[in-house]
Amino acid sequence: FVLLNLLFFKTLQLFGVGERHSLLLTAAMALGTLVFVQMPYFSAHLVASFLIVAGVYSLLKYSILLNNKRYLIMAGMALALAAAVDLPAGFAFMALAPLYLLWKNRRIKQISWYWLGALPILALHFIINYNITGDLVPIYAHPEFYRFPGTALSVHTTGFRIPDADYILKVFFG
């Protein structure tokens, strides 16, 4: 949680936002969004949020310092880890990063540095999934892992919990 807010603060400063305004905006993000609600427990969403902010920060840092390829490798690693932790959000940002690089700098060679950081982590992610489940589908998308005596989970064919109205109200209003 603290590292996420620190990176958010540093990202604002990359855009030239003053220190005082960066501090206020970081406090607003930390206390006024779901990031604060997710802080008390170790959630995949919080870890994915940190990794996505770290990846975006690295991409922005690369855009400023064009000759430093380690920021591209770090961005690839962070966004690939985010995809391993939280598939929908992680893969969305991981897929958009090369498009951002093409739009910003118009060089295809730099995308290979990005994938140099991302591919080993993605390969490890899929190897672990394959060894556990026998396929490349994520572990949490297998409904058979949720069916056991005494489970309180409501499971349909994809393995995800079907949210009911009470659950949705608790997520948005506590």
Side-chain angles (χ1 to χ4, degrees), residues 47-96:
V47 175
S49 298
F50 166 72
L51 291 167
I52 288 170
V53 170
V56 170
Y57 176 78
S58 297
L59 285 173
L60 293 171
K61 196 79 167 167
Y62 175 78
S63 295
I64 294 167
L65 309 168
L66 283 174
N67 294 328
N68 203 339
K69 292 173 182 57
R70 77 177 171 157
Y71 288 113
L72 285 176
I73 295 170
M74 288 176 10
M77 290 172 68
L79 293 175
L81 281 170
V85 170
D86 188 2
L87 263 122
F91 273 117
F93 278 91
M94 197 179 73
L96 292 174

mmCIF file of all heavy atoms in Angstrom, residues 47-96:
data_model
loop_
_atom_site.group_PDB
_atom_site.id
_atom_site.type_symbol
_atom_site.label_atom_id
_atom_site.label_comp_id
_atom_site.label_asym_id
_atom_site.label_seq_id
_atom_site.Cartn_x
_atom_site.Cartn_y
_atom_site.Cartn_z
ATOM 1 N N VAL A 47 -1.891 -5.952 -4.870
ATOM 2 C CA VAL A 47 -0.595 -6.296 -5.454
ATOM 3 C C VAL A 47 -0.587 -5.954 -6.939
ATOM 4 O O VAL A 47 0.373 -5.370 -7.448
ATOM 5 C CB VAL A 47 -0.280 -7.797 -5.234
ATOM 6 C CG1 VAL A 47 1.000 -8.197 -5.937
ATOM 7 C CG2 VAL A 47 -0.198 -8.099 -3.755
ATOM 8 N N ALA A 48 -1.661 -6.286 -7.639
ATOM 9 C CA ALA A 48 -1.752 -5.967 -9.063
ATOM 10 C C ALA A 48 -1.739 -4.462 -9.284
ATOM 11 O O ALA A 48 -1.113 -3.977 -10.232
ATOM 12 C CB ALA A 48 -3.006 -6.589 -9.664
ATOM 13 N N SER A 49 -2.415 -3.713 -8.417
ATOM 14 C CA SER A 49 -2.414 -2.244 -8.540
ATOM 15 C C SER A 49 -1.003 -1.709 -8.423
ATOM 16 O O SER A 49 -0.587 -0.850 -9.208
ATOM 17 C CB SER A 49 -3.285 -1.612 -7.455
ATOM 18 O OG SER A 49 -4.600 -2.021 -7.576
ATOM 19 N N PHE A 50 -0.251 -2.201 -7.439
ATOM 20 C CA PHE A 50 1.126 -1.758 -7.281
ATOM 21 C C PHE A 50 1.954 -2.094 -8.519
ATOM 22 O O PHE A 50 2.706 -1.255 -9.026
ATOM 23 C CB PHE A 50 1.766 -2.379 -6.039
ATOM 24 C CG PHE A 50 3.260 -2.234 -6.010
ATOM 25 C CD1 PHE A 50 3.834 -0.991 -5.764
ATOM 26 C CD2 PHE A 50 4.083 -3.311 -6.252
ATOM 27 C CE1 PHE A 50 5.205 -0.844 -5.761
ATOM 28 C CE2 PHE A 50 5.454 -3.171 -6.245
ATOM 29 C CZ PHE A 50 6.020 -1.935 -6.004
ATOM 30 N N LEU A 51 1.828 -3.316 -9.022
ATOM 31 C CA LEU A 51 2.622 -3.731 -10.176
ATOM 32 C C LEU A 51 2.249 -2.950 -11.431
ATOM 33 O O LEU A 51 3.118 -2.618 -12.239
ATOM 34 C CB LEU A 51 2.467 -5.235 -10.399
ATOM 35 C CG LEU A 51 3.103 -6.107 -9.320
ATOM 36 C CD1 LEU A 51 2.645 -7.548 -9.447
ATOM 37 C CD2 LEU A 51 4.616 -6.004 -9.375
ATOM 38 N N ILE A 52 0.974 -2.628 -11.598
ATOM 39 C CA ILE A 52 0.558 -1.835 -12.759
ATOM 40 C C ILE A 52 1.108 -0.419 -12.655
ATOM 41 O O ILE A 52 1.630 0.128 -13.635
ATOM 42 C CB ILE A 52 -0.983 -1.845 -12.896
ATOM 43 C CG1 ILE A 52 -1.435 -3.222 -13.377
ATOM 44 C CG2 ILE A 52 -1.454 -0.749 -13.851
ATOM 45 C CD1 ILE A 52 -2.923 -3.446 -13.322
ATOM 46 N N VAL A 53 1.030 0.182 -11.476
ATOM 47 C CA VAL A 53 1.593 1.525 -11.304
ATOM 48 C C VAL A 53 3.111 1.493 -11.523
ATOM 49 O O VAL A 53 3.674 2.391 -12.145
ATOM 50 C CB VAL A 53 1.229 2.116 -9.921
ATOM 51 C CG1 VAL A 53 1.993 3.395 -9.641
ATOM 52 C CG2 VAL A 53 -0.268 2.386 -9.856
ATOM 53 N N ALA A 54 3.786 0.432 -11.043
ATOM 54 C CA ALA A 54 5.233 0.305 -11.254
ATOM 55 C C ALA A 54 5.550 0.173 -12.743
ATOM 56 O O ALA A 54 6.509 0.775 -13.238
ATOM 57 C CB ALA A 54 5.776 -0.889 -10.476
ATOM 58 N N GLY A 55 4.747 -0.596 -13.471
ATOM 59 C CA GLY A 55 4.955 -0.740 -14.911
ATOM 60 C C GLY A 55 4.718 0.549 -15.665
ATOM 61 O O GLY A 55 5.503 0.923 -16.544
ATOM 62 N N VAL A 56 3.652 1.248 -15.317
ATOM 63 C CA VAL A 56 3.356 2.532 -15.976
ATOM 64 C C VAL A 56 4.436 3.559 -15.638
ATOM 65 O O VAL A 56 4.885 4.312 -16.507
ATOM 66 C CB VAL A 56 1.945 3.025 -15.580
ATOM 67 C CG1 VAL A 56 1.713 4.449 -16.033
ATOM 68 C CG2 VAL A 56 0.891 2.098 -16.160
ATOM 69 N N TYR A 57 4.879 3.575 -14.385
ATOM 70 C CA TYR A 57 5.955 4.480 -13.982
ATOM 71 C C TYR A 57 7.223 4.207 -14.796
ATOM 72 O O TYR A 57 7.884 5.129 -15.278
ATOM 73 C CB TYR A 57 6.235 4.348 -12.487
ATOM 74 C CG TYR A 57 7.390 5.180 -12.004
ATOM 75 C CD1 TYR A 57 7.228 6.548 -11.786
ATOM 76 C CD2 TYR A 57 8.639 4.623 -11.778
ATOM 77 C CE1 TYR A 57 8.287 7.326 -11.354
ATOM 78 C CE2 TYR A 57 9.700 5.383 -11.344
ATOM 79 C CZ TYR A 57 9.515 6.744 -11.137
ATOM 80 O OH TYR A 57 10.573 7.506 -10.714
ATOM 81 N N SER A 58 7.552 2.922 -14.975
ATOM 82 C CA SER A 58 8.741 2.569 -15.753
ATOM 83 C C SER A 58 8.599 2.982 -17.214
ATOM 84 O O SER A 58 9.561 3.453 -17.820
ATOM 85 C CB SER A 58 9.006 1.061 -15.665
ATOM 86 O OG SER A 58 9.291 0.682 -14.345
ATOM 87 N N LEU A 59 7.397 2.813 -17.787
ATOM 88 C CA LEU A 59 7.178 3.257 -19.164
ATOM 89 C C LEU A 59 7.323 4.770 -19.293
ATOM 90 O O LEU A 59 7.929 5.266 -20.252
ATOM 91 C CB LEU A 59 5.785 2.828 -19.645
ATOM 92 C CG LEU A 59 5.600 1.373 -19.988
ATOM 93 C CD1 LEU A 59 4.139 1.081 -20.286
ATOM 94 C CD2 LEU A 59 6.470 0.978 -21.159
ATOM 95 N N LEU A 60 6.765 5.501 -18.338
ATOM 96 C CA LEU A 60 6.895 6.960 -18.374
ATOM 97 C C LEU A 60 8.342 7.392 -18.193
ATOM 98 O O LEU A 60 8.810 8.320 -18.845
ATOM 99 C CB LEU A 60 6.004 7.594 -17.306
ATOM 100 C CG LEU A 60 4.507 7.452 -17.516
ATOM 101 C CD1 LEU A 60 3.749 7.931 -16.289
ATOM 102 C CD2 LEU A 60 4.064 8.188 -18.759
ATOM 103 N N LYS A 61 9.044 6.712 -17.300
ATOM 104 C CA LYS A 61 10.455 7.028 -17.066
ATOM 105 C C LYS A 61 11.270 6.759 -18.336
ATOM 106 O O LYS A 61 12.155 7.532 -18.683
ATOM 107 C CB LYS A 61 10.964 6.182 -15.893
ATOM 108 C CG LYS A 61 12.235 6.650 -15.299
ATOM 109 C CD LYS A 61 12.007 7.811 -14.375
ATOM 110 C CE LYS A 61 13.266 8.004 -13.572
ATOM 111 N NZ LYS A 61 13.301 9.246 -12.869
ATOM 112 N N TYR A 62 10.955 5.684 -19.048
ATOM 113 C CA TYR A 62 11.638 5.399 -20.297
ATOM 114 C C TYR A 62 11.352 6.487 -21.331
ATOM 115 O O TYR A 62 12.237 6.867 -22.100
ATOM 116 C CB TYR A 62 11.244 4.034 -20.860
ATOM 117 C CG TYR A 62 11.852 3.787 -22.216
ATOM 118 C CD1 TYR A 62 13.184 3.419 -22.329
ATOM 119 C CD2 TYR A 62 11.117 3.963 -23.379
ATOM 120 C CE1 TYR A 62 13.764 3.220 -23.564
ATOM 121 C CE2 TYR A 62 11.687 3.769 -24.616
ATOM 122 C CZ TYR A 62 13.010 3.402 -24.708
ATOM 123 O OH TYR A 62 13.586 3.214 -25.939
ATOM 124 N N SER A 63 10.116 6.973 -21.368
ATOM 125 C CA SER A 63 9.767 8.017 -22.326
ATOM 126 C C SER A 63 10.583 9.280 -22.091
ATOM 127 O O SER A 63 10.866 10.018 -23.024
ATOM 128 C CB SER A 63 8.276 8.345 -22.234
ATOM 129 O OG SER A 63 7.526 7.236 -22.634
ATOM 130 N N ILE A 64 10.972 9.512 -20.844
ATOM 131 C CA ILE A 64 11.776 10.693 -20.521
ATOM 132 C C ILE A 64 13.255 10.436 -20.809
ATOM 133 O O ILE A 64 13.944 11.267 -21.385
ATOM 134 C CB ILE A 64 11.562 11.099 -19.049
ATOM 135 C CG1 ILE A 64 10.117 11.564 -18.865
ATOM 136 C CG2 ILE A 64 12.535 12.185 -18.622
ATOM 137 C CD1 ILE A 64 9.697 11.701 -17.419
ATOM 138 N N LEU A 65 13.751 9.253 -20.420
ATOM 139 C CA LEU A 65 15.162 8.887 -20.616
ATOM 140 C C LEU A 65 15.238 7.818 -21.702
ATOM 141 O O LEU A 65 15.369 6.641 -21.414
ATOM 142 C CB LEU A 65 15.765 8.351 -19.319
ATOM 143 C CG LEU A 65 15.582 9.189 -18.063
ATOM 144 C CD1 LEU A 65 15.980 8.392 -16.836
ATOM 145 C CD2 LEU A 65 16.425 10.447 -18.159
ATOM 146 N N LEU A 66 15.155 8.206 -22.965
ATOM 147 C CA LEU A 66 15.015 7.252 -24.059
ATOM 148 C C LEU A 66 16.146 6.231 -24.178
ATOM 149 O O LEU A 66 15.948 5.161 -24.720
ATOM 150 C CB LEU A 66 14.889 8.007 -25.389
ATOM 151 C CG LEU A 66 13.523 8.608 -25.638
ATOM 152 C CD1 LEU A 66 13.537 9.442 -26.892
ATOM 153 C CD2 LEU A 66 12.473 7.532 -25.752
ATOM 154 N N ASN A 67 17.308 6.527 -23.698
ATOM 155 C CA ASN A 67 18.428 5.615 -23.897
ATOM 156 C C ASN A 67 18.568 4.569 -22.804
ATOM 157 O O ASN A 67 19.469 3.748 -22.857
ATOM 158 C CB ASN A 67 19.735 6.411 -24.005
ATOM 159 C CG ASN A 67 19.752 7.259 -25.251
ATOM 160 O OD1 ASN A 67 19.176 6.876 -26.257
ATOM 161 N ND2 ASN A 67 20.386 8.405 -25.187
ATOM 162 N N ASN A 68 17.733 4.574 -21.805
ATOM 163 C CA ASN A 68 17.860 3.648 -20.690
ATOM 164 C C ASN A 68 16.860 2.502 -20.838
ATOM 165 O O ASN A 68 15.714 2.594 -20.411
ATOM 166 C CB ASN A 68 17.656 4.393 -19.373
ATOM 167 C CG ASN A 68 18.285 3.679 -18.224
ATOM 168 O OD1 ASN A 68 18.530 2.491 -18.292
ATOM 169 N ND2 ASN A 68 18.549 4.406 -17.163
ATOM 170 N N LYS A 69 17.333 1.385 -21.415
ATOM 171 C CA LYS A 69 16.459 0.259 -21.729
ATOM 172 C C LYS A 69 16.046 -0.535 -20.499
ATOM 173 O O LYS A 69 15.117 -1.322 -20.555
ATOM 174 C CB LYS A 69 17.151 -0.641 -22.741
ATOM 175 C CG LYS A 69 17.301 0.025 -24.086
ATOM 176 C CD LYS A 69 18.143 -0.812 -25.011
ATOM 177 C CE LYS A 69 18.347 -0.161 -26.346
ATOM 178 N NZ LYS A 69 18.937 1.133 -26.326
ATOM 179 N N ARG A 70 16.720 -0.331 -19.380
ATOM 180 C CA ARG A 70 16.340 -1.099 -18.186
ATOM 181 C C ARG A 70 14.926 -0.747 -17.737
ATOM 182 O O ARG A 70 14.244 -1.575 -17.140
ATOM 183 C CB ARG A 70 17.342 -0.893 -17.060
ATOM 184 C CG ARG A 70 17.200 0.398 -16.346
ATOM 185 C CD ARG A 70 18.166 0.518 -15.213
ATOM 186 N NE ARG A 70 18.062 1.890 -14.743
ATOM 187 C CZ ARG A 70 18.400 2.274 -13.556
ATOM 188 N NH1 ARG A 70 18.900 1.425 -12.717
ATOM 189 N NH2 ARG A 70 18.261 3.520 -13.200
ATOM 190 N N TYR A 71 14.455 0.480 -18.040
ATOM 191 C CA TYR A 71 13.088 0.842 -17.683
ATOM 192 C C TYR A 71 12.078 0.050 -18.511
ATOM 193 O O TYR A 71 10.996 -0.286 -18.031
ATOM 194 C CB TYR A 71 12.859 2.343 -17.847
ATOM 195 C CG TYR A 71 13.561 3.146 -16.789
ATOM 196 C CD1 TYR A 71 14.620 3.981 -17.115
ATOM 197 C CD2 TYR A 71 13.186 3.061 -15.462
ATOM 198 C CE1 TYR A 71 15.277 4.716 -16.139
ATOM 199 C CE2 TYR A 71 13.826 3.782 -14.480
ATOM 200 C CZ TYR A 71 14.879 4.613 -14.830
ATOM 201 O OH TYR A 71 15.522 5.321 -13.858
ATOM 202 N N LEU A 72 12.418 -0.267 -19.762
ATOM 203 C CA LEU A 72 11.532 -1.106 -20.575
ATOM 204 C C LEU A 72 11.478 -2.527 -20.032
ATOM 205 O O LEU A 72 10.411 -3.136 -19.970
ATOM 206 C CB LEU A 72 12.027 -1.136 -22.027
ATOM 207 C CG LEU A 72 11.764 0.109 -22.844
ATOM 208 C CD1 LEU A 72 12.389 -0.034 -24.217
ATOM 209 C CD2 LEU A 72 10.283 0.365 -22.953
ATOM 210 N N ILE A 73 12.630 -3.049 -19.639
ATOM 211 C CA ILE A 73 12.667 -4.403 -19.068
ATOM 212 C C ILE A 73 11.884 -4.436 -17.756
ATOM 213 O O ILE A 73 11.106 -5.364 -17.509
ATOM 214 C CB ILE A 73 14.126 -4.863 -18.882
ATOM 215 C CG1 ILE A 73 14.809 -5.002 -20.252
ATOM 216 C CG2 ILE A 73 14.190 -6.178 -18.121
ATOM 217 C CD1 ILE A 73 16.306 -5.218 -20.198
ATOM 218 N N MET A 74 12.061 -3.411 -16.918
ATOM 219 C CA MET A 74 11.328 -3.351 -15.648
ATOM 220 C C MET A 74 9.832 -3.222 -15.884
ATOM 221 O O MET A 74 9.025 -3.825 -15.161
ATOM 222 C CB MET A 74 11.850 -2.190 -14.797
ATOM 223 C CG MET A 74 13.220 -2.466 -14.234
ATOM 224 S SD MET A 74 14.039 -1.144 -13.287
ATOM 225 C CE MET A 74 12.867 0.106 -13.026
ATOM 226 N N ALA A 75 9.437 -2.452 -16.895
ATOM 227 C CA ALA A 75 8.010 -2.321 -17.213
ATOM 228 C C ALA A 75 7.438 -3.662 -17.648
ATOM 229 O O ALA A 75 6.349 -4.059 -17.210
ATOM 230 C CB ALA A 75 7.801 -1.275 -18.302
ATOM 231 N N GLY A 76 8.169 -4.382 -18.495
ATOM 232 C CA GLY A 76 7.716 -5.705 -18.930
ATOM 233 C C GLY A 76 7.582 -6.670 -17.768
ATOM 234 O O GLY A 76 6.603 -7.414 -17.668
ATOM 235 N N MET A 77 8.564 -6.647 -16.869
ATOM 236 C CA MET A 77 8.513 -7.536 -15.709
ATOM 237 C C MET A 77 7.336 -7.189 -14.802
ATOM 238 O O MET A 77 6.594 -8.073 -14.363
ATOM 239 C CB MET A 77 9.827 -7.449 -14.932
ATOM 240 C CG MET A 77 11.004 -8.063 -15.654
ATOM 241 S SD MET A 77 12.575 -7.768 -14.834
ATOM 242 C CE MET A 77 12.353 -8.757 -13.374
ATOM 243 N N ALA A 78 7.165 -5.903 -14.508
ATOM 244 C CA ALA A 78 6.087 -5.490 -13.599
ATOM 245 C C ALA A 78 4.715 -5.804 -14.183
ATOM 246 O O ALA A 78 3.839 -6.325 -13.479
ATOM 247 C CB ALA A 78 6.214 -3.997 -13.287
ATOM 248 N N LEU A 79 4.507 -5.511 -15.460
ATOM 249 C CA LEU A 79 3.192 -5.755 -16.050
ATOM 250 C C LEU A 79 2.934 -7.246 -16.258
ATOM 251 O O LEU A 79 1.781 -7.692 -16.166
ATOM 252 C CB LEU A 79 3.048 -4.966 -17.346
ATOM 253 C CG LEU A 79 3.010 -3.446 -17.138
ATOM 254 C CD1 LEU A 79 3.000 -2.714 -18.472
ATOM 255 C CD2 LEU A 79 1.823 -3.030 -16.292
ATOM 256 N N ALA A 80 3.975 -8.035 -16.509
ATOM 257 C CA ALA A 80 3.787 -9.483 -16.604
ATOM 258 C C ALA A 80 3.446 -10.071 -15.233
ATOM 259 O O ALA A 80 2.591 -10.950 -15.128
ATOM 260 C CB ALA A 80 5.040 -10.147 -17.166
ATOM 261 N N LEU A 81 4.091 -9.572 -14.187
ATOM 262 C CA LEU A 81 3.732 -10.020 -12.833
ATOM 263 C C LEU A 81 2.299 -9.618 -12.490
ATOM 264 O O LEU A 81 1.572 -10.369 -11.845
ATOM 265 C CB LEU A 81 4.707 -9.441 -11.807
ATOM 266 C CG LEU A 81 6.052 -10.155 -11.693
ATOM 267 C CD1 LEU A 81 7.006 -9.347 -10.831
ATOM 268 C CD2 LEU A 81 5.866 -11.544 -11.122
ATOM 269 N N ALA A 82 1.894 -8.417 -12.923
ATOM 270 C CA ALA A 82 0.510 -7.981 -12.691
ATOM 271 C C ALA A 82 -0.464 -8.919 -13.401
ATOM 272 O O ALA A 82 -1.510 -9.262 -12.854
ATOM 273 C CB ALA A 82 0.319 -6.545 -13.165
ATOM 274 N N ALA A 83 -0.110 -9.345 -14.609
ATOM 275 C CA ALA A 83 -0.974 -10.283 -15.339
ATOM 276 C C ALA A 83 -1.025 -11.639 -14.641
ATOM 277 O O ALA A 83 -2.060 -12.299 -14.654
ATOM 278 C CB ALA A 83 -0.475 -10.440 -16.771
ATOM 279 N N ALA A 84 0.067 -12.053 -14.029
ATOM 280 C CA ALA A 84 0.081 -13.320 -13.307
ATOM 281 C C ALA A 84 -0.753 -13.251 -12.036
ATOM 282 O O ALA A 84 -1.348 -14.237 -11.617
ATOM 283 C CB ALA A 84 1.518 -13.724 -12.970
ATOM 284 N N VAL A 85 -0.827 -12.072 -11.427
ATOM 285 C CA VAL A 85 -1.556 -11.900 -10.171
ATOM 286 C C VAL A 85 -3.037 -11.654 -10.420
ATOM 287 O O VAL A 85 -3.892 -12.217 -9.753
ATOM 288 C CB VAL A 85 -0.942 -10.730 -9.359
ATOM 289 C CG1 VAL A 85 -1.798 -10.372 -8.177
ATOM 290 C CG2 VAL A 85 0.459 -11.080 -8.910
ATOM 291 N N ASP A 86 -3.353 -10.796 -11.385
ATOM 292 C CA ASP A 86 -4.738 -10.421 -11.672
ATOM 293 C C ASP A 86 -4.895 -10.375 -13.191
ATOM 294 O O ASP A 86 -4.586 -9.372 -13.815
ATOM 295 C CB ASP A 86 -5.048 -9.074 -11.029
ATOM 296 C CG ASP A 86 -6.512 -8.693 -11.105
ATOM 297 O OD1 ASP A 86 -7.308 -9.494 -11.625
ATOM 298 O OD2 ASP A 86 -6.863 -7.597 -10.641
ATOM 299 N N LEU A 87 -5.361 -11.472 -13.760
ATOM 300 C CA LEU A 87 -5.338 -11.624 -15.211
ATOM 301 C C LEU A 87 -6.011 -10.516 -16.009
ATOM 302 O O LEU A 87 -5.379 -9.971 -16.911
ATOM 303 C CB LEU A 87 -5.939 -12.979 -15.600
ATOM 304 C CG LEU A 87 -4.847 -14.003 -15.818
ATOM 305 C CD1 LEU A 87 -5.040 -15.167 -14.926
ATOM 306 C CD2 LEU A 87 -4.843 -14.387 -17.254
ATOM 307 N N PRO A 88 -7.253 -10.167 -15.757
ATOM 308 C CA PRO A 88 -7.888 -9.173 -16.627
ATOM 309 C C PRO A 88 -7.160 -7.824 -16.635
ATOM 310 O O PRO A 88 -6.829 -7.292 -17.695
ATOM 311 C CB PRO A 88 -9.304 -9.032 -16.054
ATOM 312 C CG PRO A 88 -9.536 -10.282 -15.289
ATOM 313 C CD PRO A 88 -8.201 -10.703 -14.769
ATOM 314 N N ALA A 89 -6.898 -7.280 -15.472
ATOM 315 C CA ALA A 89 -6.239 -5.972 -15.411
ATOM 316 C C ALA A 89 -4.801 -6.056 -15.902
ATOM 317 O O ALA A 89 -4.342 -5.205 -16.670
ATOM 318 C CB ALA A 89 -6.269 -5.445 -13.977
ATOM 319 N N GLY A 90 -4.083 -7.079 -15.473
ATOM 320 C CA GLY A 90 -2.687 -7.210 -15.861
ATOM 321 C C GLY A 90 -2.501 -7.379 -17.357
ATOM 322 O O GLY A 90 -1.666 -6.719 -17.965
ATOM 323 N N PHE A 91 -3.303 -8.263 -17.969
ATOM 324 C CA PHE A 91 -3.156 -8.472 -19.406
ATOM 325 C C PHE A 91 -3.606 -7.249 -20.207
ATOM 326 O O PHE A 91 -3.051 -6.969 -21.267
ATOM 327 C CB PHE A 91 -3.905 -9.726 -19.862
ATOM 328 C CG PHE A 91 -3.088 -10.970 -19.749
ATOM 329 C CD1 PHE A 91 -3.476 -11.984 -18.904
ATOM 330 C CD2 PHE A 91 -1.918 -11.121 -20.469
ATOM 331 C CE1 PHE A 91 -2.717 -13.136 -18.783
ATOM 332 C CE2 PHE A 91 -1.150 -12.266 -20.359
ATOM 333 C CZ PHE A 91 -1.553 -13.280 -19.511
ATOM 334 N N ALA A 92 -4.583 -6.517 -19.713
ATOM 335 C CA ALA A 92 -5.002 -5.307 -20.417
ATOM 336 C C ALA A 92 -3.861 -4.302 -20.480
ATOM 337 O O ALA A 92 -3.539 -3.773 -21.550
ATOM 338 C CB ALA A 92 -6.224 -4.693 -19.728
ATOM 339 N N PHE A 93 -3.229 -4.047 -19.336
ATOM 340 C CA PHE A 93 -2.120 -3.093 -19.330
ATOM 341 C C PHE A 93 -0.909 -3.650 -20.070
ATOM 342 O O PHE A 93 -0.196 -2.908 -20.737
ATOM 343 C CB PHE A 93 -1.745 -2.711 -17.894
ATOM 344 C CG PHE A 93 -2.626 -1.649 -17.326
ATOM 345 C CD1 PHE A 93 -3.766 -1.975 -16.620
ATOM 346 C CD2 PHE A 93 -2.318 -0.310 -17.515
ATOM 347 C CE1 PHE A 93 -4.587 -0.998 -16.107
ATOM 348 C CE2 PHE A 93 -3.137 0.678 -17.007
ATOM 349 C CZ PHE A 93 -4.279 0.339 -16.294
ATOM 350 N N MET A 94 -0.675 -4.955 -19.950
ATOM 351 C CA MET A 94 0.469 -5.547 -20.621
ATOM 352 C C MET A 94 0.313 -5.467 -22.145
ATOM 353 O O MET A 94 1.283 -5.269 -22.870
ATOM 354 C CB MET A 94 0.636 -6.995 -20.183
ATOM 355 C CG MET A 94 1.987 -7.553 -20.500
ATOM 356 S SD MET A 94 2.134 -9.244 -19.951
ATOM 357 C CE MET A 94 1.120 -10.047 -21.141
ATOM 358 N N ALA A 95 -0.908 -5.609 -22.637
ATOM 359 C CA ALA A 95 -1.150 -5.525 -24.076
ATOM 360 C C ALA A 95 -1.106 -4.086 -24.576
ATOM 361 O O ALA A 95 -0.709 -3.838 -25.719
ATOM 362 C CB ALA A 95 -2.512 -6.146 -24.399
ATOM 363 N N LEU A 96 -1.497 -3.134 -23.737
ATOM 364 C CA LEU A 96 -1.499 -1.734 -24.163
ATOM 365 C C LEU A 96 -0.118 -1.085 -24.123
ATOM 366 O O LEU A 96 0.122 -0.112 -24.828
ATOM 367 C CB LEU A 96 -2.473 -0.925 -23.304
ATOM 368 C CG LEU A 96 -3.945 -1.261 -23.502
ATOM 369 C CD1 LEU A 96 -4.800 -0.502 -22.510
ATOM 370 C CD2 LEU A 96 -4.385 -0.958 -24.923
#
